[in-house]
Amino acid sequence: MSASVSGAIPSVPEQAGGERHASWLELFFDLIAVAGVGQLAHLLRTGPSWAASGEYVLLFVAFWFAWIMSTMYGNVAGQRTRIVAVVAAMLGMAVMAAAVPGIRDSDQKARAFALAYIVVRLIASRVWSGRRQVVADLPVIQLGAGLTPWLVSLWVHGDARLWLWAAGLVIDMAVMVRVSRETLRAEIDQKWAQAEGRLERRLEQEGCRGSAALPPEEARLRADRARRRMRRKPEVVVADTSHLAERLGLFVLITLGEGMVQSVDAASEETWTRGLRIVAFGVFVLMVLIWSLALRTGTYGLPLLAPRALPVRLVLSLHCVFACAVAALAAALGRAVTEADEVMERPGRLLLAGVLALILLVAVVCALVSGCGPGWTAAALGPAFVPAGVLALGGGPGDGRDLGTGVLVALAVSALAWPVAWRALRPGVFAAQEERAS
């Protein structure tokens, strides 16, 4: 079936149960996420410093915002999604991904990254303003205060540019967390009432000035035409949560795939010693555990999160943090395979410990908001922080407390194996929720 003249995606038959899944256009769009995550993960591969870690987080959040805005468009618009808009956003994100290597040292790349981000944001804003719709679950699409620092950064150089980007992203994240669906509706109603009031006052003034020149019937017809010309009130729309859960899960799967790619790539360049085989197997098990924790025991690609436990805008905030941590883990695992027969250097060890702790913290938040209770959450996740702490505090070269890379990977495996096993053996609130859903 060919696309319509308007450029909307062709109609796709639904599944037997009417459940909607990702379209071919959405899956094609996700290819740029694969490229972007790969470029971002490489920022940490050579030895993360505080500066490199900050740069990674900054660029990842910007890339994620660009991805989620186009994803939300396809989610809400459905079969009316315009191919041109999605492909244009994909091109902008391709420029962002290509600009990542060496972005701090190149004004050309930094300006290209900022300009591409601005264009993707404007495309997202334009498609919704044209539809006269406001997305309640992602208010930053229409509330573009966070875009101002990015515009200013086009004329700024050096680290000041990165600080402006960070300020813009902090504003956007704060808007996403604080602006609820009810707040957005109230603001739209207020602005619309004010616009109607201004129109009525203008018509009244024009009527008074022209009362002597125009017959009453003609004056009334002119006022009616002016009211009809006033654009219709924006409609507040919400996400298709089942489809969004699949899309967010696919993004987490992409970040896991980058971990596989970096590990396999590292293993292909090393001699296959006994130590490498042990570490490579441990890395594979670690990937399986994250997949199980995030995609089998949670929803929206978030570990231990029950459906409808949080508003979508808060789910998106947590998803950004979790996906950022998993993508950083890809770099740590590639480094672990490279140093399989050695003592992992302190930067790599701290990176591995940090991203594991962040993954576990997100799981704690998701379990608590899902109604698991403090007791179940502490038992399921508390012990997992112990090996993560040992990873962070373990020895380094020359201090007499050296831990080999194989031991560090084994500690990481044990950290994630515990909550996965606990969830399987003591399902707690999840069993009741699954029973109600069935």
Side-chain angles (χ1 to χ4, degrees), residues 201-214:
R201 287 193 296 271
R202 182 172 63 82
L203 291 176
E204 183 178 349
Q205 292 169 358
E206 290 177 354
C208 292
R209 289 195 299 268
S211 58
L214 292 175

Side-chain angles (χ1 to χ4, degrees), residues 137-148:
D137 296 319
L138 193 62
V140 294
I141 294 178
Q142 284 87 11
L143 305 179
L147 202 55
T148 303

Side-chain angles (χ1 to χ4, degrees), residues 128-275:
W128 290 112
S129 62
R131 294 167 61 90
R132 300 299 294 162
Q133 292 177 328
V134 175
V135 186
D137 296 319
L138 193 62
V140 294
I141 294 178
Q142 284 87 11
L143 305 179
L147 202 55
T148 303
W150 286 83
L151 291 167
V152 175
S153 75
L154 295 176
W155 292 273
V156 176
H157 304 279
D159 288 345
R161 179 193 291 120
L162 302 182
W163 285 108
L164 283 170
W165 294 356
L169 295 174
V170 168
I171 292 171
D172 283 335
M173 194 64 74
V175 167
M176 192 160 66
V177 171
R178 293 176 60 87
V179 179
S180 66
R181 186 180 305 176
E182 293 73 21
T183 302
L184 200 59
R185 279 202 176 99
E187 184 176 348
I188 291 172
D189 291 341
Q190 181 183 10
K191 288 183 177 179
W192 189 255
Q194 292 173 348
E196 287 182 324
R198 288 193 297 269
L199 176 63
E200 293 300 326
R201 287 193 296 271
R202 182 172 63 82
L203 291 176
E204 183 178 349
Q205 292 169 358
E206 290 177 354
C208 292
R209 289 195 299 268
S211 58
L214 292 175
E217 182 65 22
E218 185 174 347
R220 185 183 63 79
L221 289 174
R222 291 183 63 177
D224 289 343
R225 284 196 296 269
R227 292 187 182 94
R228 286 195 296 270
R229 282 196 300 270
M230 186 174 179
R231 300 176 74 181
R232 63 183 174 87
K233 183 178 179 180
E235 174 191 7
V236 177
V237 295
V238 296
D240 179 338
T241 53
S242 62
H243 175 261
L244 183 63
E246 180 185 80
R247 301 291 290 125
L248 295 179
L250 284 171
F251 190 89
V252 172
L253 205 60
I254 287 169
T255 62
L256 284 173
E258 180 58 27
M260 291 288 189
V261 168
Q262 292 223 21
S263 302
V264 170
D265 183 60
S268 68
E269 298 176 356
E270 301 291 330
T271 302
W272 286 15
T273 62
R274 181 174 178 272

Side-chain angles (χ1 to χ4, degrees), residues 378-397:
L381 294 161
F385 283 95
V386 175
V390 174
L391 271 171
L393 299 175

Side-chain angles (χ1 to χ4, degrees), residues 256 260 263 278-294 326 329-330 332-334 336 352 355-356 359 391 408-417 420:
L256 284 173
M260 291 288 189
S263 302
I278 292 173
V279 169
F281 179 75
V283 166
F284 179 79
V285 173
L286 202 57
M287 291 287 98
V288 173
L289 290 171
I290 295 176
W291 165 77
S292 180
L293 193 63
V326 175
L329 183 64
L333 296 180
L352 182 57
V355 295
L356 277 176
I359 287 170
L391 271 171
L408 297 179
V409 171
L411 287 169
V413 168
S414 66
L416 293 180
V420 171

Side-chain angles (χ1 to χ4, degrees), residues 293 302-306 309-311 314-315 317-319 321-322 357-374 376-378 380-382 385 429-430:
L293 193 63
L302 290 172
L304 304 179
L305 182 67
L310 282 174
L314 299 183
V315 166
S317 302
L318 279 175
H319 182 272
V321 174
F322 184 75
L358 191 55
I359 287 170
L360 292 171
L361 283 173
V362 172
V364 167
V365 173
C366 291
L368 289 174
V369 300
S370 298
C372 294
W376 190 95
T377 302
L381 294 161
F385 283 95
V429 70
F430 293 97

